[in-house]
Amino acid sequence: MHDLTGKVAFVTGAGSVGEGWGNGKAAAVLMARQGALVFGVDISAEALESTAALLAREGIADRWHSVVCDMTVDTQVESSVLECQRHFGQIDILVNNIGGSAPGDPVSMSEEVWHQQLDLNLTTAFLACKHVLPIMEQQFEATAHGGSIVNIGSIGSMSFQVGGRVSAGYAASKAGLEAFSRSTAIAYVLKGIRVNTVVPGVMYTPLVEHRLVGQLGAADAERLIAERHASVPMGRMGDAWDVAHAVLFLASDEAGYITATQIVVDGGMTAARPS
Ligand SMILES: NC(=O)c1ccc[n+]([C@@H]2O[C@H](COP(=O)([O-])OP(=O)(O)OC[C@H]3O[C@@H](n4cnc5c(N)ncnc54)[C@H](O)[C@@H]3O)[C@@H](O)[C@H]2O)c1
């Protein structure tokens, strides 16, 4: 099941902020365990080294190659994609995992932060698709093997707030990412390329603690983390593996008839939303 032997996966944000498992790191490691050759990109060399070390410990370091890349910069994205193709010869799977939220509504958020949110959560996926789609299309024409693109959204796209925080830029960019996914999926539906979104709920990844402590201070961050656990019908936040398993499924051939849709991974949170 979900055997990725012979496939090459390009994973953005393949490290993780701080210790532990971010969604991108877990997806990269899980796909390598399933046989894929994984090309990781991240803005942090240290984060990439940590993922490389984990794969080396599992004896599968040969399934990994990485470059440092700021995914908001077109020239860097283009050269990373070309380096992946040069190193591994093909690209079958693209996981667009870069993202993060900044608090604020249209009045409290500066225009600069608004643009940063769109760049981080949406433009990164656009740029990756711009450079990867032609490669996948050529592969499909030459071999009849298409590609799978998995974007990482958020239930923030449904304006979900935990602890009363409004993140208008994040909500808009993640909603935009889902629309971008569906639109791109239909544009490429006859070219052998599937495009879907994994929509995580509130997940306990290193980024949460890292960002919240930075934004709120340790005591308030601890309170908000407790609120995040309590807000989920399952009684706890999910983790990066919950996201990674959904990514693996959508990337695999078992999901071959699935495109232009979302898998929500949220412990029941959106269904329990007060009307
Ligand atoms: N953690 C959650 O609760 C949660 C919930 C819903 C959705 N998500 C989404 O999941 C995704 C991953 O979040 P995470 O919490 O697992 O983070 P993570 O720990 O995977 O960290 C993201 C990685 O991206 C890298 N990165 C940041 N900016 C970059 C850039 N411009 N170019 C290249 N690399 C960059 C960071 O260095 C880090 O290694 C994001 O899109 C996020 O919005 C997370």
Side-chain angles (χ1 to χ4, degrees):
M1 280 276 279
H2 307 148
D3 182 9
L4 300 185
T5 305
K7 293 189 190 292
V8 174
F10 187 100
V11 181
T12 75
S16 160
V17 176
E19 287 299 307
W21 293 94
N23 296 331
K25 186 197 261 182
V29 169
L30 185 59
M31 289 195 290
R33 284 178 185 164
Q34 293 301 113
L37 300 172
V38 178
F39 190 92
V41 299
D42 202 288
I43 202 165
S44 160
E46 202 184 335
L48 289 170
E49 278 159 24
S50 148
T51 307
L54 286 161
L55 293 169
R57 228 173 288 153
E58 297 192 18
I60 48 175
D62 57 330
R63 296 184 195 162
W64 169 257
H65 191 68
S66 68
V67 293
V68 172
C69 168
D70 181 345
M71 286 296 299
T72 64
V73 180
D74 182 49
T75 49
Q76 294 189 29
V77 178
E78 182 178 25
S79 62
S80 301
V81 168
L82 292 175
E83 172 61 13
C84 176
Q85 198 184 23
R86 191 197 63 74
H87 188 82
F88 283 137
Q90 63 199 58
I91 304 178
D92 308 286
I93 296 161
L94 165 64
V95 180
N96 284 313
N97 165 68
I98 308 285
S101 70
D105 63 41
V107 174
S108 62
M109 178 179 282
S110 68
E111 188 182 348
E112 187 188 5
V113 172
W114 167 259
H115 285 301
Q116 284 169 359
Q117 281 287 281
L118 296 182
D119 282 350
L120 189 70
N121 293 303
L122 192 50
T123 306
T124 51
F126 163 77
L127 292 176
C129 286
K130 174 178 273 307
H131 296 296
V132 168
L133 280 165
I135 293 171
M136 287 182 169
E137 190 177 346
Q138 276 173 16
Q139 288 171 193
F140 181 64
E141 282 166 6
T143 68
H145 290 296
S148 173
I149 297 176
V150 184
N151 296 316
I152 307 299
S154 167
I155 61 166
S157 66
M158 299 168 221
S159 302
F160 246 81
Q161 295 166 31
V162 180
R165 282 162 53 97
V166 174
S167 301
Y170 188 64
S173 49
K174 289 296 192 181
L177 184 65
E178 286 177 35
F180 169 77
S181 294
R182 287 191 297 271
S183 169
T184 307
I186 297 308
Y188 282 83
V189 74
L190 293 178
K191 296 175 181 172
I193 300 165
R194 298 181 295 106
V195 188
N196 293 290
T197 308
V198 171
V199 183
V202 286
M203 317 306 284
Y204 201 23
T205 65
L207 183 64
V208 173
E209 205 146 345
H210 179 86
R211 191 190 59 229
L212 291 182
V213 170
Q215 289 172 356
L216 304 171
D220 281 349
E222 200 178 315
R223 179 185 49 75
L224 191 59
I225 286 165
E227 280 176 24
R228 284 170 78 103
H229 280 301
S231 68
V232 183
M234 281 191 180
R236 60 175 172 81
M237 285 192 256
D239 65 23
W241 295 103
D242 297 315
V243 175
H245 281 103
V247 170
L248 172 63
F249 170 63
L250 288 172
S252 73
D253 289 342
E254 280 83 355
Y257 196 58
I258 300 176
T259 196
T261 193
Q262 294 86 239
I263 293 184
V264 179
V265 181
D266 73 346
M269 196 158 174
T270 43
R273 178 187 198 181
S275 54

